[in-house]
Amino acid sequence: MRTVVDLTRCQGYAQCVFLAPDVFELHGEEGLLYATAVPGDQEEHVRQAAAACPVQAILLGEEVRTGAR
């Protein structure tokens, strides 16, 4: 699975960091670092993180290619 975070939408609520810490990491107070290629064992965690994002800034799978949201 591939993932992209729209950093212009991201407000730093860090729900993704709590739900998928092996994929998302807060750098400083507002910078978000993340893996674009999600390991298979982390896919469910990333899906939960995307669903929990208050501003829906996380794109997954097919959405990454189309930019759909």
Side-chain angles (χ1 to χ4, degrees):
M1 172 194 299
R2 297 201 39 87
T3 186
V4 170
V5 177
D6 182 344
L7 296 175
T8 62
R9 295 179 92 173
C10 178
Q11 298 295 306
Y13 292 106
Q15 295 303 307
C16 57
V17 176
F18 295 116
L19 293 167
D22 291 339
V23 176
F24 300 98
E25 176 185 346
L26 218 50
H27 182 71
E29 290 185 29
E30 295 183 12
L32 181 69
L33 302 176
Y34 63 95
T36 57
V38 177
D41 65 338
Q42 294 298 309
E43 288 183 5
E44 185 57 33
H45 296 286
V46 172
R47 282 189 183 92
Q48 291 172 1
C53 180
V55 295
Q56 299 298 291
I58 303 170
L59 300 174
L60 303 176
E62 190 63 33
E63 295 173 336
V64 170
R65 285 188 280 279
T66 65
R69 179 54 66 190

